[in-house]
Amino acid sequence: MSIEKGRAYLRQFGLQDRVQEFNVSSATVELAAQALGVEGARIAKTLSFQQGDGCILILAAGDARIDNQKFKARFGMKAKMLAAEDVLRLVGHPVGGVCPFGCNEGVPVYLDESLKRFETVFPAVGSANSAVELNLEELYVCSRALGWVDVCRLPQPEAC
């Protein structure tokens, strides 16, 4: 199971006991926020993009959206999400549980600036019903992120 892979990976950081498993799905930002009782923006969604024959992962706040121009300027390519049927093979976790913990060797991971609004965030741990609460330093270290990037845009506040 992929959650066991994620939990085993987090063991090296002493964080395996913080992994939460739910009796309900947390496969989307909305479902994860509901399962955890937090605002959706605090869900650290892991987005997987095609890069040559492989992929890259970007963790972003739950309410953030990829800005295609920023993405292309930063990575020199169009932001093309992996096809669902390629996710498990290229990343090592299934759709709904994609995370940077225990993914396939050599998959580059980046953290988007949209996460910096929060003290702690909740990424998945390899399954569609799991999460772990991490502060940003823990997330950076545990994800083995290559750096912070600014490739997302946040929702605009609604006018009164």
Side-chain angles (χ1 to χ4, degrees):
M1 277 178 67
S2 200
I3 182 144
E4 292 311 320
K5 190 175 166 184
R7 191 187 309 274
Y9 176 86
L10 289 172
R11 187 169 291 118
Q12 68 188 301
F13 303 100
L15 299 172
Q16 72 278 4
D17 293 336
R18 288 172 40 191
V19 174
Q20 299 177 57
E21 287 187 78
F22 313 109
N23 293 325
V24 297
S25 175
S26 60
T28 66
V29 168
E30 294 77 18
L31 291 172
Q34 191 172 32
L36 287 157
V38 300
E39 65 177 303
R42 288 187 59 207
I43 304 303
K45 61 185 175 184
T46 304
L47 304 170
S48 51
F49 295 93
Q50 190 76 42
Q51 184 181 47
D53 292 335
C55 66
I56 64 172
L57 300 180
I58 298 177
L59 277 77
D63 62 345
R65 299 290 174 256
I66 291 295
D67 182 307
N68 290 317
Q69 290 180 331
K70 288 181 176 182
F71 187 96
K72 187 169 186 173
R74 174 60 179 85
F75 294 107
M77 63 184 185
K78 184 178 178 181
K80 183 178 181 214
M81 298 282 294
L82 286 182
E85 60 270 12
D86 294 329
V87 172
L88 181 59
R89 176 178 59 84
L90 292 174
V91 178
H93 295 297
V95 172
V98 175
C99 68
F101 315 125
C103 60
N104 292 342
E105 190 70 32
V107 174
V109 175
Y110 297 90
L111 305 180
D112 186 74
E113 297 277 336
S114 60
L115 295 167
K116 288 186 172 180
R117 298 175 289 156
F118 308 104
E119 285 192 35
T120 64
V121 293
F122 297 87
V125 188
S127 71
N129 66 330
S130 65
V132 61
E133 184 175 12
L134 299 173
N135 67 42
L136 297 182
E137 180 61 27
E138 290 169 331
L139 180 63
Y140 190 87
V141 171
C142 294
S143 69
R144 295 199 166 106
L146 297 176
W148 288 95
V149 295
D150 180 12
V151 295
C152 289
R153 63 184 172 346
L154 296 174
Q156 296 301 311
E158 294 182 25
C160 295

mmCIF file of all heavy atoms in Angstrom, residues 47-99:
data_model
loop_
_atom_site.group_PDB
_atom_site.id
_atom_site.type_symbol
_atom_site.label_atom_id
_atom_site.label_comp_id
_atom_site.label_asym_id
_atom_site.label_seq_id
_atom_site.Cartn_x
_atom_site.Cartn_y
_atom_site.Cartn_z
ATOM 1 N N LEU A 47 0.725 18.569 -7.025
ATOM 2 C CA LEU A 47 0.390 18.563 -8.440
ATOM 3 C C LEU A 47 1.540 17.916 -9.213
ATOM 4 O O LEU A 47 2.706 18.224 -8.970
ATOM 5 C CB LEU A 47 0.166 19.994 -8.927
ATOM 6 C CG LEU A 47 -0.896 20.770 -8.146
ATOM 7 C CD1 LEU A 47 -0.874 22.242 -8.524
ATOM 8 C CD2 LEU A 47 -2.272 20.171 -8.393
ATOM 9 N N SER A 48 1.199 17.020 -10.136
ATOM 10 C CA SER A 48 2.224 16.315 -10.903
ATOM 11 C C SER A 48 2.160 16.734 -12.367
ATOM 12 O O SER A 48 1.104 16.683 -12.992
ATOM 13 C CB SER A 48 2.046 14.801 -10.760
ATOM 14 O OG SER A 48 0.721 14.410 -11.025
ATOM 15 N N PHE A 49 3.319 17.144 -12.870
ATOM 16 C CA PHE A 49 3.413 17.653 -14.235
ATOM 17 C C PHE A 49 4.391 16.834 -15.060
ATOM 18 O O PHE A 49 5.422 16.389 -14.558
ATOM 19 C CB PHE A 49 3.875 19.121 -14.231
ATOM 20 C CG PHE A 49 2.890 20.041 -13.585
ATOM 21 C CD1 PHE A 49 2.993 20.351 -12.247
ATOM 22 C CD2 PHE A 49 1.839 20.576 -14.317
ATOM 23 C CE1 PHE A 49 2.078 21.186 -11.637
ATOM 24 C CE2 PHE A 49 0.911 21.413 -13.714
ATOM 25 C CZ PHE A 49 1.034 21.714 -12.371
ATOM 26 N N GLN A 50 4.050 16.684 -16.330
ATOM 27 C CA GLN A 50 4.919 16.000 -17.282
ATOM 28 C C GLN A 50 6.205 16.793 -17.452
ATOM 29 O O GLN A 50 6.175 18.022 -17.572
ATOM 30 C CB GLN A 50 4.197 15.893 -18.631
ATOM 31 C CG GLN A 50 4.882 15.012 -19.630
ATOM 32 C CD GLN A 50 4.690 13.540 -19.322
ATOM 33 O OE1 GLN A 50 3.603 13.116 -18.971
ATOM 34 N NE2 GLN A 50 5.757 12.777 -19.437
ATOM 35 N N GLN A 51 7.340 16.105 -17.437
ATOM 36 C CA GLN A 51 8.631 16.733 -17.727
ATOM 37 C C GLN A 51 9.448 15.705 -18.504
ATOM 38 O O GLN A 51 10.001 14.768 -17.910
ATOM 39 C CB GLN A 51 9.362 17.153 -16.455
ATOM 40 C CG GLN A 51 10.660 17.884 -16.750
ATOM 41 C CD GLN A 51 11.400 18.282 -15.485
ATOM 42 O OE1 GLN A 51 11.553 17.469 -14.583
ATOM 43 N NE2 GLN A 51 11.849 19.524 -15.440
ATOM 44 N N GLY A 52 9.502 15.871 -19.817
ATOM 45 C CA GLY A 52 10.166 14.888 -20.658
ATOM 46 C C GLY A 52 9.490 13.539 -20.495
ATOM 47 O O GLY A 52 8.278 13.424 -20.589
ATOM 48 N N ASP A 53 10.286 12.512 -20.187
ATOM 49 C CA ASP A 53 9.734 11.176 -19.966
ATOM 50 C C ASP A 53 9.342 10.960 -18.507
ATOM 51 O O ASP A 53 8.854 9.894 -18.145
ATOM 52 C CB ASP A 53 10.756 10.106 -20.362
ATOM 53 C CG ASP A 53 11.000 10.077 -21.861
ATOM 54 O OD1 ASP A 53 10.100 10.492 -22.616
ATOM 55 O OD2 ASP A 53 12.095 9.646 -22.273
ATOM 56 N N GLY A 54 9.579 11.964 -17.665
ATOM 57 C CA GLY A 54 9.288 11.851 -16.248
ATOM 58 C C GLY A 54 8.296 12.896 -15.798
ATOM 59 O O GLY A 54 7.416 13.313 -16.548
ATOM 60 N N CYS A 55 8.467 13.329 -14.545
ATOM 61 C CA CYS A 55 7.536 14.311 -13.999
ATOM 62 C C CYS A 55 8.213 15.156 -12.936
ATOM 63 O O CYS A 55 9.314 14.841 -12.485
ATOM 64 C CB CYS A 55 6.314 13.613 -13.402
ATOM 65 S SG CYS A 55 6.682 12.608 -11.942
ATOM 66 N N ILE A 56 7.552 16.242 -12.569
ATOM 67 C CA ILE A 56 7.940 17.061 -11.423
ATOM 68 C C ILE A 56 6.708 17.228 -10.551
ATOM 69 O O ILE A 56 5.578 17.162 -11.036
ATOM 70 C CB ILE A 56 8.512 18.443 -11.821
ATOM 71 C CG1 ILE A 56 7.467 19.294 -12.531
ATOM 72 C CG2 ILE A 56 9.757 18.298 -12.659
ATOM 73 C CD1 ILE A 56 7.926 20.724 -12.755
ATOM 74 N N LEU A 57 6.946 17.426 -9.262
ATOM 75 C CA LEU A 57 5.858 17.647 -8.320
ATOM 76 C C LEU A 57 5.950 19.057 -7.769
ATOM 77 O O LEU A 57 7.041 19.524 -7.444
ATOM 78 C CB LEU A 57 5.940 16.652 -7.156
ATOM 79 C CG LEU A 57 5.861 15.178 -7.499
ATOM 80 C CD1 LEU A 57 5.958 14.333 -6.225
ATOM 81 C CD2 LEU A 57 4.598 14.842 -8.270
ATOM 82 N N ILE A 58 4.801 19.700 -7.657
ATOM 83 C CA ILE A 58 4.716 21.019 -7.039
ATOM 84 C C ILE A 58 3.643 20.951 -5.967
ATOM 85 O O ILE A 58 2.498 20.591 -6.242
ATOM 86 C CB ILE A 58 4.385 22.108 -8.067
ATOM 87 C CG1 ILE A 58 5.509 22.173 -9.097
ATOM 88 C CG2 ILE A 58 4.174 23.457 -7.372
ATOM 89 C CD1 ILE A 58 5.300 23.153 -10.204
ATOM 90 N N LEU A 59 4.032 21.273 -4.726
ATOM 91 C CA LEU A 59 3.067 21.363 -3.642
ATOM 92 C C LEU A 59 2.590 22.799 -3.557
ATOM 93 O O LEU A 59 3.408 23.725 -3.523
ATOM 94 C CB LEU A 59 3.685 20.937 -2.309
ATOM 95 C CG LEU A 59 3.698 19.427 -2.070
ATOM 96 C CD1 LEU A 59 4.793 18.777 -2.863
ATOM 97 C CD2 LEU A 59 3.813 19.126 -0.610
ATOM 98 N N ALA A 60 1.271 22.972 -3.538
ATOM 99 C CA ALA A 60 0.675 24.304 -3.512
ATOM 100 C C ALA A 60 -0.484 24.317 -2.528
ATOM 101 O O ALA A 60 -1.035 23.274 -2.172
ATOM 102 C CB ALA A 60 0.174 24.685 -4.911
ATOM 103 N N ALA A 61 -0.846 25.510 -2.093
ATOM 104 C CA ALA A 61 -2.000 25.669 -1.207
ATOM 105 C C ALA A 61 -3.254 25.194 -1.933
ATOM 106 O O ALA A 61 -3.368 25.309 -3.159
ATOM 107 C CB ALA A 61 -2.143 27.127 -0.796
ATOM 108 N N GLY A 62 -4.196 24.691 -1.160
ATOM 109 C CA GLY A 62 -5.416 24.132 -1.720
ATOM 110 C C GLY A 62 -6.242 25.080 -2.557
ATOM 111 O O GLY A 62 -6.966 24.644 -3.446
ATOM 112 N N ASP A 63 -6.132 26.377 -2.296
ATOM 113 C CA ASP A 63 -6.914 27.352 -3.065
ATOM 114 C C ASP A 63 -6.127 27.967 -4.218
ATOM 115 O O ASP A 63 -6.651 28.786 -4.964
ATOM 116 C CB ASP A 63 -7.449 28.454 -2.154
ATOM 117 C CG ASP A 63 -6.354 29.263 -1.475
ATOM 118 O OD1 ASP A 63 -5.177 28.827 -1.470
ATOM 119 O OD2 ASP A 63 -6.678 30.338 -0.926
ATOM 120 N N ALA A 64 -4.874 27.572 -4.392
ATOM 121 C CA ALA A 64 -4.026 28.135 -5.446
ATOM 122 C C ALA A 64 -4.263 27.412 -6.763
ATOM 123 O O ALA A 64 -4.624 26.235 -6.783
ATOM 124 C CB ALA A 64 -2.561 28.036 -5.038
ATOM 125 N N ARG A 65 -4.042 28.117 -7.839
ATOM 126 C CA ARG A 65 -4.152 27.545 -9.189
ATOM 127 C C ARG A 65 -2.845 27.828 -9.923
ATOM 128 O O ARG A 65 -2.243 28.880 -9.740
ATOM 129 C CB ARG A 65 -5.313 28.167 -9.971
ATOM 130 C CG ARG A 65 -6.672 27.953 -9.330
ATOM 131 C CD ARG A 65 -7.098 26.492 -9.412
ATOM 132 N NE ARG A 65 -8.325 26.249 -8.683
ATOM 133 C CZ ARG A 65 -8.397 25.652 -7.500
ATOM 134 N NH1 ARG A 65 -7.308 25.285 -6.869
ATOM 135 N NH2 ARG A 65 -9.545 25.438 -6.916
ATOM 136 N N ILE A 66 -2.438 26.905 -10.772
ATOM 137 C CA ILE A 66 -1.227 27.109 -11.553
ATOM 138 C C ILE A 66 -1.434 28.292 -12.486
ATOM 139 O O ILE A 66 -2.456 28.408 -13.150
ATOM 140 C CB ILE A 66 -0.867 25.839 -12.363
ATOM 141 C CG1 ILE A 66 -0.409 24.726 -11.423
ATOM 142 C CG2 ILE A 66 0.202 26.117 -13.414
ATOM 143 C CD1 ILE A 66 0.887 25.003 -10.674
ATOM 144 N N ASP A 67 -0.448 29.169 -12.518
ATOM 145 C CA ASP A 67 -0.415 30.286 -13.457
ATOM 146 C C ASP A 67 0.482 29.833 -14.604
ATOM 147 O O ASP A 67 1.692 29.685 -14.428
ATOM 148 C CB ASP A 67 0.152 31.525 -12.755
ATOM 149 C CG ASP A 67 0.182 32.741 -13.652
ATOM 150 O OD1 ASP A 67 0.749 32.654 -14.768
ATOM 151 O OD2 ASP A 67 -0.331 33.792 -13.241
ATOM 152 N N ASN A 68 -0.108 29.591 -15.760
ATOM 153 C CA ASN A 68 0.633 29.021 -16.886
ATOM 154 C C ASN A 68 1.832 29.864 -17.305
ATOM 155 O O ASN A 68 2.888 29.318 -17.635
ATOM 156 C CB ASN A 68 -0.298 28.779 -18.073
ATOM 157 C CG ASN A 68 -1.264 27.647 -17.805
ATOM 158 O OD1 ASN A 68 -0.873 26.605 -17.272
ATOM 159 N ND2 ASN A 68 -2.516 27.839 -18.152
ATOM 160 N N GLN A 69 1.698 31.182 -17.283
ATOM 161 C CA GLN A 69 2.818 32.047 -17.672
ATOM 162 C C GLN A 69 3.965 31.946 -16.670
ATOM 163 O O GLN A 69 5.132 31.836 -17.044
ATOM 164 C CB GLN A 69 2.363 33.491 -17.817
ATOM 165 C CG GLN A 69 1.470 33.705 -19.022
ATOM 166 C CD GLN A 69 1.029 35.150 -19.154
ATOM 167 O OE1 GLN A 69 0.904 35.873 -18.172
ATOM 168 N NE2 GLN A 69 0.791 35.568 -20.394
ATOM 169 N N LYS A 70 3.650 31.971 -15.377
ATOM 170 C CA LYS A 70 4.689 31.840 -14.347
ATOM 171 C C LYS A 70 5.363 30.475 -14.430
ATOM 172 O O LYS A 70 6.580 30.367 -14.286
ATOM 173 C CB LYS A 70 4.084 32.010 -12.939
ATOM 174 C CG LYS A 70 3.680 33.414 -12.574
ATOM 175 C CD LYS A 70 3.124 33.382 -11.152
ATOM 176 C CE LYS A 70 2.766 34.728 -10.603
ATOM 177 N NZ LYS A 70 2.282 34.614 -9.208
ATOM 178 N N PHE A 71 4.568 29.439 -14.654
ATOM 179 C CA PHE A 71 5.104 28.087 -14.743
ATOM 180 C C PHE A 71 6.086 27.986 -15.913
ATOM 181 O O PHE A 71 7.200 27.477 -15.757
ATOM 182 C CB PHE A 71 3.969 27.072 -14.909
ATOM 183 C CG PHE A 71 4.408 25.638 -14.836
ATOM 184 C CD1 PHE A 71 4.317 24.944 -13.643
ATOM 185 C CD2 PHE A 71 4.904 24.977 -15.952
ATOM 186 C CE1 PHE A 71 4.723 23.607 -13.558
ATOM 187 C CE2 PHE A 71 5.314 23.660 -15.874
ATOM 188 C CZ PHE A 71 5.222 22.972 -14.684
ATOM 189 N N LYS A 72 5.675 28.477 -17.060
ATOM 190 C CA LYS A 72 6.537 28.402 -18.245
ATOM 191 C C LYS A 72 7.803 29.230 -18.050
ATOM 192 O O LYS A 72 8.897 28.804 -18.435
ATOM 193 C CB LYS A 72 5.789 28.858 -19.497
ATOM 194 C CG LYS A 72 6.584 28.629 -20.757
ATOM 195 C CD LYS A 72 5.765 28.823 -22.009
ATOM 196 C CE LYS A 72 6.618 28.434 -23.198
ATOM 197 N NZ LYS A 72 5.874 28.434 -24.436
ATOM 198 N N ALA A 73 7.676 30.400 -17.430
ATOM 199 C CA ALA A 73 8.845 31.239 -17.173
ATOM 200 C C ALA A 73 9.819 30.541 -16.221
ATOM 201 O O ALA A 73 11.038 30.632 -16.397
ATOM 202 C CB ALA A 73 8.415 32.588 -16.595
ATOM 203 N N ARG A 74 9.310 29.822 -15.246
ATOM 204 C CA ARG A 74 10.176 29.161 -14.253
ATOM 205 C C ARG A 74 10.787 27.861 -14.760
ATOM 206 O O ARG A 74 11.948 27.571 -14.549
ATOM 207 C CB ARG A 74 9.371 28.887 -12.964
ATOM 208 C CG ARG A 74 10.096 28.071 -11.906
ATOM 209 C CD ARG A 74 11.383 28.763 -11.449
ATOM 210 N NE ARG A 74 12.078 28.016 -10.430
ATOM 211 C CZ ARG A 74 12.940 27.026 -10.657
ATOM 212 N NH1 ARG A 74 13.198 26.634 -11.884
ATOM 213 N NH2 ARG A 74 13.545 26.418 -9.651
ATOM 214 N N PHE A 75 9.966 27.045 -15.466
ATOM 215 C CA PHE A 75 10.429 25.716 -15.862
ATOM 216 C C PHE A 75 10.722 25.561 -17.352
ATOM 217 O O PHE A 75 11.196 24.508 -17.776
ATOM 218 C CB PHE A 75 9.408 24.656 -15.422
ATOM 219 C CG PHE A 75 9.305 24.533 -13.927
ATOM 220 C CD1 PHE A 75 8.195 25.025 -13.250
ATOM 221 C CD2 PHE A 75 10.319 23.952 -13.190
ATOM 222 C CE1 PHE A 75 8.103 24.924 -11.871
ATOM 223 C CE2 PHE A 75 10.243 23.853 -11.810
ATOM 224 C CZ PHE A 75 9.137 24.337 -11.147
ATOM 225 N N GLY A 76 10.434 26.586 -18.149
ATOM 226 C CA GLY A 76 10.747 26.529 -19.573
ATOM 227 C C GLY A 76 9.908 25.545 -20.356
ATOM 228 O O GLY A 76 10.332 25.044 -21.398
ATOM 229 N N MET A 77 8.730 25.249 -19.851
ATOM 230 C CA MET A 77 7.827 24.325 -20.537
ATOM 231 C C MET A 77 6.395 24.644 -20.145
ATOM 232 O O MET A 77 6.153 25.306 -19.142
ATOM 233 C CB MET A 77 8.151 22.875 -20.184
ATOM 234 C CG MET A 77 7.973 22.553 -18.715
ATOM 235 S SD MET A 77 8.471 20.865 -18.352
ATOM 236 C CE MET A 77 7.988 20.767 -16.630
ATOM 237 N N LYS A 78 5.471 24.145 -20.949
ATOM 238 C CA LYS A 78 4.053 24.318 -20.660
ATOM 239 C C LYS A 78 3.666 23.430 -19.473
ATOM 240 O O LYS A 78 4.183 22.328 -19.312
ATOM 241 C CB LYS A 78 3.242 23.925 -21.896
ATOM 242 C CG LYS A 78 1.768 24.139 -21.756
ATOM 243 C CD LYS A 78 1.043 23.773 -23.033
ATOM 244 C CE LYS A 78 -0.445 23.957 -22.818
ATOM 245 N NZ LYS A 78 -1.220 23.594 -23.990
ATOM 246 N N ALA A 79 2.764 23.933 -18.635
ATOM 247 C CA ALA A 79 2.271 23.171 -17.482
ATOM 248 C C ALA A 79 1.279 22.127 -17.965
ATOM 249 O O ALA A 79 0.126 22.424 -18.236
ATOM 250 C CB ALA A 79 1.607 24.109 -16.477
ATOM 251 N N LYS A 80 1.755 20.890 -18.096
ATOM 252 C CA LYS A 80 0.887 19.794 -18.551
ATOM 253 C C LYS A 80 0.820 18.748 -17.452
ATOM 254 O O LYS A 80 1.805 18.081 -17.150
ATOM 255 C CB LYS A 80 1.433 19.178 -19.843
ATOM 256 C CG LYS A 80 0.542 18.104 -20.381
ATOM 257 C CD LYS A 80 1.059 17.526 -21.681
ATOM 258 C CE LYS A 80 0.072 16.468 -22.146
ATOM 259 N NZ LYS A 80 0.711 15.373 -22.821
ATOM 260 N N MET A 81 -0.364 18.633 -16.852
ATOM 261 C CA MET A 81 -0.573 17.658 -15.778
ATOM 262 C C MET A 81 -0.387 16.244 -16.327
ATOM 263 O O MET A 81 -0.677 15.982 -17.490
ATOM 264 C CB MET A 81 -1.986 17.782 -15.203
ATOM 265 C CG MET A 81 -2.306 19.119 -14.562
ATOM 266 S SD MET A 81 -1.649 19.350 -12.918
ATOM 267 C CE MET A 81 -2.539 18.149 -11.974
ATOM 268 N N LEU A 82 0.098 15.352 -15.468
ATOM 269 C CA LEU A 82 0.207 13.949 -15.863
ATOM 270 C C LEU A 82 -1.177 13.377 -16.115
ATOM 271 O O LEU A 82 -2.132 13.712 -15.410
ATOM 272 C CB LEU A 82 0.851 13.124 -14.744
ATOM 273 C CG LEU A 82 2.332 13.269 -14.502
ATOM 274 C CD1 LEU A 82 2.770 12.338 -13.377
ATOM 275 C CD2 LEU A 82 3.143 12.985 -15.749
ATOM 276 N N ALA A 83 -1.267 12.480 -17.069
ATOM 277 C CA ALA A 83 -2.506 11.734 -17.281
ATOM 278 C C ALA A 83 -2.694 10.812 -16.085
ATOM 279 O O ALA A 83 -1.719 10.283 -15.540
ATOM 280 C CB ALA A 83 -2.423 10.936 -18.578
ATOM 281 N N ALA A 84 -3.926 10.614 -15.671
ATOM 282 C CA ALA A 84 -4.224 9.802 -14.485
ATOM 283 C C ALA A 84 -3.573 8.419 -14.560
ATOM 284 O O ALA A 84 -3.069 7.906 -13.561
ATOM 285 C CB ALA A 84 -5.735 9.673 -14.300
ATOM 286 N N GLU A 85 -3.548 7.835 -15.749
ATOM 287 C CA GLU A 85 -2.992 6.487 -15.890
ATOM 288 C C GLU A 85 -1.467 6.450 -15.761
ATOM 289 O O GLU A 85 -0.880 5.385 -15.595
ATOM 290 C CB GLU A 85 -3.434 5.829 -17.207
ATOM 291 C CG GLU A 85 -3.008 6.572 -18.456
ATOM 292 C CD GLU A 85 -4.028 7.611 -18.930
ATOM 293 O OE1 GLU A 85 -4.971 7.944 -18.185
ATOM 294 O OE2 GLU A 85 -3.858 8.090 -20.063
ATOM 295 N N ASP A 86 -0.810 7.617 -15.799
ATOM 296 C CA ASP A 86 0.648 7.683 -15.673
ATOM 297 C C ASP A 86 1.126 8.024 -14.262
ATOM 298 O O ASP A 86 2.308 7.903 -13.957
ATOM 299 C CB ASP A 86 1.223 8.722 -16.646
ATOM 300 C CG ASP A 86 1.022 8.323 -18.098
ATOM 301 O OD1 ASP A 86 1.012 7.106 -18.380
ATOM 302 O OD2 ASP A 86 0.882 9.226 -18.945
ATOM 303 N N VAL A 87 0.213 8.480 -13.419
ATOM 304 C CA VAL A 87 0.603 8.999 -12.103
ATOM 305 C C VAL A 87 1.284 7.946 -11.238
ATOM 306 O O VAL A 87 2.387 8.163 -10.732
ATOM 307 C CB VAL A 87 -0.611 9.627 -11.368
ATOM 308 C CG1 VAL A 87 -0.258 9.983 -9.935
ATOM 309 C CG2 VAL A 87 -1.100 10.860 -12.119
ATOM 310 N N LEU A 88 0.672 6.798 -11.056
ATOM 311 C CA LEU A 88 1.250 5.772 -10.186
ATOM 312 C C LEU A 88 2.616 5.321 -10.702
ATOM 313 O O LEU A 88 3.574 5.215 -9.939
ATOM 314 C CB LEU A 88 0.305 4.571 -10.072
ATOM 315 C CG LEU A 88 0.775 3.438 -9.164
ATOM 316 C CD1 LEU A 88 1.002 3.928 -7.733
ATOM 317 C CD2 LEU A 88 -0.234 2.289 -9.175
ATOM 318 N N ARG A 89 2.735 5.114 -11.993
ATOM 319 C CA ARG A 89 3.993 4.655 -12.590
ATOM 320 C C ARG A 89 5.109 5.678 -12.443
ATOM 321 O O ARG A 89 6.236 5.342 -12.071
ATOM 322 C CB ARG A 89 3.763 4.326 -14.071
ATOM 323 C CG ARG A 89 5.006 3.925 -14.836
ATOM 324 C CD ARG A 89 4.677 3.563 -16.283
ATOM 325 N NE ARG A 89 4.054 4.626 -17.024
ATOM 326 C CZ ARG A 89 4.712 5.617 -17.632
ATOM 327 N NH1 ARG A 89 6.023 5.680 -17.555
ATOM 328 N NH2 ARG A 89 4.073 6.551 -18.311
ATOM 329 N N LEU A 90 4.813 6.952 -12.692
ATOM 330 C CA LEU A 90 5.858 7.982 -12.681
ATOM 331 C C LEU A 90 6.146 8.546 -11.293
ATOM 332 O O LEU A 90 7.278 8.896 -10.979
ATOM 333 C CB LEU A 90 5.495 9.117 -13.641
ATOM 334 C CG LEU A 90 5.523 8.747 -15.120
ATOM 335 C CD1 LEU A 90 5.016 9.902 -15.971
ATOM 336 C CD2 LEU A 90 6.923 8.335 -15.554
ATOM 337 N N VAL A 91 5.111 8.663 -10.466
ATOM 338 C CA VAL A 91 5.267 9.273 -9.137
ATOM 339 C C VAL A 91 5.503 8.217 -8.057
ATOM 340 O O VAL A 91 6.315 8.413 -7.158
ATOM 341 C CB VAL A 91 4.044 10.146 -8.773
ATOM 342 C CG1 VAL A 91 4.188 10.733 -7.374
ATOM 343 C CG2 VAL A 91 3.839 11.248 -9.797
ATOM 344 N N GLY A 92 4.750 7.109 -8.139
ATOM 345 C CA GLY A 92 4.858 6.075 -7.117
ATOM 346 C C GLY A 92 3.707 6.069 -6.137
ATOM 347 O O GLY A 92 3.672 5.253 -5.225
ATOM 348 N N HIS A 93 2.761 6.987 -6.317
ATOM 349 C CA HIS A 93 1.554 7.042 -5.494
ATOM 350 C C HIS A 93 0.354 7.189 -6.426
ATOM 351 O O HIS A 93 0.467 7.779 -7.499
ATOM 352 C CB HIS A 93 1.588 8.238 -4.536
ATOM 353 C CG HIS A 93 2.663 8.159 -3.500
ATOM 354 N ND1 HIS A 93 2.712 7.176 -2.546
ATOM 355 C CD2 HIS A 93 3.737 8.958 -3.269
ATOM 356 C CE1 HIS A 93 3.765 7.365 -1.764
ATOM 357 N NE2 HIS A 93 4.410 8.439 -2.188
ATOM 358 N N PRO A 94 -0.818 6.702 -5.993
ATOM 359 C CA PRO A 94 -2.003 6.797 -6.842
ATOM 360 C C PRO A 94 -2.639 8.185 -6.811
ATOM 361 O O PRO A 94 -2.413 8.963 -5.888
ATOM 362 C CB PRO A 94 -2.949 5.768 -6.219
ATOM 363 C CG PRO A 94 -2.577 5.766 -4.769
ATOM 364 C CD PRO A 94 -1.082 5.986 -4.740
ATOM 365 N N VAL A 95 -3.446 8.462 -7.822
ATOM 366 C CA VAL A 95 -4.226 9.693 -7.860
ATOM 367 C C VAL A 95 -5.031 9.783 -6.564
ATOM 368 O O VAL A 95 -5.584 8.795 -6.103
ATOM 369 C CB VAL A 95 -5.178 9.698 -9.081
ATOM 370 C CG1 VAL A 95 -6.141 10.873 -9.020
ATOM 371 C CG2 VAL A 95 -4.373 9.728 -10.376
ATOM 372 N N GLY A 96 -5.066 10.968 -5.966
ATOM 373 C CA GLY A 96 -5.772 11.170 -4.706
ATOM 374 C C GLY A 96 -4.865 11.040 -3.503
ATOM 375 O O GLY A 96 -5.188 11.508 -2.428
ATOM 376 N N GLY A 97 -3.710 10.393 -3.683
ATOM 377 C CA GLY A 97 -2.757 10.225 -2.591
ATOM 378 C C GLY A 97 -1.356 10.700 -2.953
ATOM 379 O O GLY A 97 -0.392 10.423 -2.241
ATOM 380 N N VAL A 98 -1.255 11.398 -4.076
ATOM 381 C CA VAL A 98 0.061 11.860 -4.530
ATOM 382 C C VAL A 98 0.673 12.775 -3.473
ATOM 383 O O VAL A 98 0.017 13.680 -2.960
ATOM 384 C CB VAL A 98 -0.038 12.591 -5.894
ATOM 385 C CG1 VAL A 98 1.310 13.178 -6.284
ATOM 386 C CG2 VAL A 98 -0.532 11.639 -6.963
ATOM 387 N N CYS A 99 1.922 12.490 -3.147
ATOM 388 C CA CYS A 99 2.641 13.268 -2.149
ATOM 389 C C CYS A 99 4.132 13.133 -2.414
ATOM 390 O O CYS A 99 4.544 12.282 -3.203
ATOM 391 C CB CYS A 99 2.302 12.775 -0.736
ATOM 392 S SG CYS A 99 2.936 11.121 -0.373
#
